[in-house]
Amino acid sequence: MLDQHAIDTLRQHTVPAQKLFIDGDWRAGNGGTLDVISPIDGNVLTTIERATAQDMEGAIASARQAFDDGRWSRMAPAGRKKVLHRLADLIEREALALSVLGVRDNGTEINMAFKAEAGSAASTFRYYAEAIDKVFGEIAPTADDILALVHKEPVGVVGAIVPWNFPLMIGSWKIAPALAAGNSMVLKPAETASLSLLRLAELASEAGLPDGVLNVVTGKGSVVGEVLGLSMDVDVLAFTGSGPTGRRLLEYSARSNLKRCYLELGGKSPNIVFADAPDLDRAAKVSASGIFRNSGQVCVAGSRLLVQRDIHDDFVAALAKNAEGFSVGDPLDLASDIGAVNSLVQLEGNIGFVETAQKEGAERVTGGSRILEETGGYYMEPTVLTGVKSGDTIAQKEVFGPVLAVITFDTEEEAVAIANDSDFGLAGAVWTADLSRAHRMIRKVKTGVIHVNTYGGADGTVPLGGVKQSGNGHDKSLHALDKYVDLKTAWIQL
Ligand code: ADP
């Protein structure tokens, strides 16, 4: 149980001006600073370095050096395992402080941040720490006079570019398997959520991670992200963010060393409710959480609700009631169910999407507005729009805000067609009591993840990744390790 007094004490802490974390040390950058605006009240919380190309090149050189001299890449597996476990211990020790720092930076409600950020980061590091001495190469079944070995080797320098919605969780999904496999890294956090990742790098150092193995460079994506993408010394790019940036990374790769790019690019996930769903009240409650928690700033958010016509009115009413029941406000108040939108730009974008939807014929059932403006913070009501058609902007574009588009369907075939009428294919859900229908839908809905009779909650044992323009490559599970290793075949004549 989280303690409000402890949270309130931590929120008073002054956050010092941040530096870059390069080669195991704090370094000033050469490009001045960027203000960190807290979405809680719109005030400047601290500053981060606005790194330059030269700063980024220094970080990449540090990672390269660390990789090439083997200080981590050739450390005995038991040693690497110990370091990552120690890091998980430190994250747990600092869980509340890390979470409060992250919330002051990005606005996620503390109840969710504590679990999904610090909690999930610690368990991710433990999971991959354990994998270090349990996942290894192969001996192929060849002719008697041949010995064929398949080695799994670290790739080299991994560049990770991560977004602002869950920096610690998503950062750890990249950092933990990449380090477990023996790589060195340069991490580029989002401009509006760098603080907890800078602290994570410091904790990694305290846990015994050798200098230079994990470097964190803050600044503008269009400047330092580009340098990382174009570097001849970066072997893999692991990215979560928007489609346009993902496309740029592929271009950088093509223009440089053909580095592998793993892209997680969000979605417009269909949450499909059939009239025979086992418990419609629960479905409405979980569906509301599935779109509105963290102000809808969740890549797998169920942002398209497909409802069978017979239950449409009752279901929408139940869902709107849940939406209106959420308490939106100060994300560091334990009584808030939903915190702040990450930035003013994001908030204005959300409102713009609602206006466009209404112009295109959608009806606003609840929400749609900025609230609590007097706090100076960025808060938005959970918003439900009905009468949406599959081709509408609100059904096609990712809002990344607390805005739900409701579409009606009659038949199972129609539900499948609408669900798949999207450039994206990240996640989705089906609510039905019919086991055969559930399995048919699992096969037919083109997404990387599909939930049945629930929404969200998949843990670290299963992969998360998209199909279509939601990207490629998977975070989480043992499969994620494949992104960070090269296979080398040794064919030996005996
Ligand atoms: P969002 O819309 O979620 O902010 P972005 O794709 O813009 O998504 O941002 C995700 C991450 O990509 C952030 O860390 C951001 O700084 C970085 N980024 C943005 N533009 C570029 C770019 N041109 N090259 C590399 N990284 C970038």
Side-chain angles (χ1 to χ4, degrees):
M1 199 51 192
L2 292 177
D3 171 13
Q4 187 67 58
H5 179 68
I7 293 168
D8 290 339
T9 306
L10 285 163
R11 78 184 296 169
Q12 303 302 330
H13 288 185
T14 308
V15 184
Q18 304 288 297
K19 299 275 175 254
L20 308 176
F21 196 78
I22 297 176
D23 207 16
D25 210 355
W26 295 110
R27 281 198 203 161
N30 293 299
T33 57
L34 292 170
D35 283 343
V36 173
I37 311 280
S38 177
I40 298 177
D41 52 16
N43 291 330
V44 176
L45 181 57
T46 184
T47 58
I48 53 173
E49 291 286 323
R50 182 189 192 129
T52 60
Q54 184 196 343
D55 298 324
M56 179 52 99
E57 275 154 13
I60 296 168
S62 156
R64 185 86 253 163
Q65 172 69 32
F67 182 76
D68 288 348
D69 71 18
R71 67 186 85 161
W72 176 251
S73 53
R74 292 200 293 277
M75 185 190 282
R80 281 191 278 130
K81 182 174 169 178
K82 214 179 222 174
V83 170
L84 294 193
H85 269 305
R86 234 185 266 138
L87 175 54
D89 292 341
L90 294 180
I91 295 170
E92 280 165 358
R93 185 192 74 189
E94 302 270 316
L96 191 61
L98 271 169
S99 305
V100 171
L101 181 67
V103 169
R104 293 171 80 190
D105 199 2
N106 84 339
T108 301
E109 54 272 13
I110 185 71
N111 287 301
M112 184 174 219
F114 187 73
K115 245 175 89 183
E117 284 279 271
S120 139
S123 56
T124 300
F125 278 100
R126 282 205 199 292
Y127 183 87
Y128 291 104
E130 282 303 326
I132 289 177
D133 57 5
K134 295 177 190 63
V135 177
F136 43 87
E138 299 154 9
I139 301 175
T142 53
D144 200 41
D145 61 343
I146 294 293
L147 175 62
L149 307 175
V150 183
H151 289 266
K152 291 189 170 183
E153 300 186 330
V155 186
V157 175
V158 173
I161 300 178
V162 297
W164 45 257
N165 57 335
F166 292 102
L168 268 187
M169 177 175 81
I170 295 173
S172 301
W173 288 348
K174 323 275 189 211
I175 301 166
L179 293 185
N183 299 282
S184 294
M185 299 192 76
V186 178
L187 175 73
K188 155 66 188 87
E191 291 85 328
T192 54
S194 296
L195 303 181
S196 56
L197 285 168
L198 287 163
R199 178 71 182 128
L200 181 77
E202 191 175 35
L203 291 177
S205 199
E206 188 183 333
L209 190 72
D211 294 349
V213 176
L214 174 61
N215 306 278
V216 183
V217 178
T218 58
K220 299 300 278 181
S222 52
V223 178
V224 283
E226 177 168 331
V227 175
L228 194 61
L230 285 169
S231 172
M232 297 300 284
D233 254 334
V234 172
D235 303 290
V236 171
L237 278 181
F239 174 72
T240 299
S242 66
T245 305
R247 281 169 201 275
R248 274 191 206 106
L249 299 187
L250 291 173
E251 277 177 35
Y252 300 154
S253 167
R255 282 164 50 200
S256 56
N257 61 347
L258 299 178
K259 58 181 69 64
R260 278 143 54 179
C261 295
Y262 298 107
L263 311 173
E264 202 274 79
L265 306 176
K268 192 76 203 181
S269 298
N271 181 24
I272 309 164
V273 184
F274 286 95
D276 69 354
D279 178 348
L280 285 168
D281 285 339
R282 187 175 154 271
K285 187 164 180 251
V286 176
S287 297
S289 290
I291 173 64
F292 297 128
R293 294 299 304 278
N294 198 20
S295 304
Q297 302 167 142
V298 178
C299 56
V300 297
S303 52
R304 281 189 296 155
L305 178 70
L306 278 51
V307 198
Q308 202 156 25
R309 191 174 306 277
D310 322 357
I311 56 163
H312 176 274
D313 294 354
D314 288 347
F315 194 78
V316 169
L319 200 131
K321 197 161 160 238
N322 276 285
E324 287 159 7
F326 286 126
S327 145
V328 182
D330 179 357
L332 288 172
D333 182 340
L334 284 169
S336 299
D337 300 309
I338 296 172
V341 172
N342 180 253
S343 66
L344 191 55
V345 172
Q346 195 64 30
L347 176 64
E348 286 168 354
N350 295 344
I351 305 276
F353 270 112
V354 175
E355 287 167 2
T356 304
Q358 288 177 288
K359 274 187 209 133
E360 291 180 9
E363 206 176 298
R364 190 172 51 81
V365 175
T366 187
S369 304
R370 179 178 183 179
I371 49 172
L372 303 172
E373 205 168 337
E374 67 283 3
T375 63
Y378 316 133
Y379 300 91
M380 183 171 172
E381 299 169 299
T383 305
V384 178
L385 300 165
T386 53
V388 174
K389 299 173 295 304
S390 188
D392 291 353
T393 307
I394 197 68
Q396 292 295 326
K397 299 284 180 204
E398 184 180 41
V399 177
F400 220 61
V403 182
L404 179 66
V406 184
I407 306 175
T408 315
F409 69 88
D410 288 297
T411 64
E412 188 178 312
E413 292 68 31
E414 200 188 344
V416 170
I418 297 169
N420 291 337
D421 178 23
S422 174
D423 289 340
F424 294 109
L426 186 57
V430 179
W431 299 80
T432 178
D434 180 338
L435 187 64
S436 301
R437 167 182 278 162
H439 282 285
R440 281 195 300 273
M441 295 297 286
I442 290 170
R443 289 182 187 177
K444 288 183 182 165
V445 175
K446 293 193 178 64
T447 56
V449 178
I450 183 127
H451 308 89
V452 177
N453 295 333
T454 189
Y455 204 99
D459 68 15
T461 61
V462 288
L464 170 65
V467 296
K468 298 159 72 178
Q469 291 181 38
S470 286
N472 63 352
H474 292 90
D475 287 318
K476 308 198 296 174
S477 84
L478 293 179
H479 295 285
L481 285 166
D482 294 341
K483 298 190 293 188
Y484 306 110
V485 296
D486 274 330
L487 298 180
K488 179 186 275 177
T489 297
W491 184 265
I492 306 164
Q493 180 74 58
L494 300 179

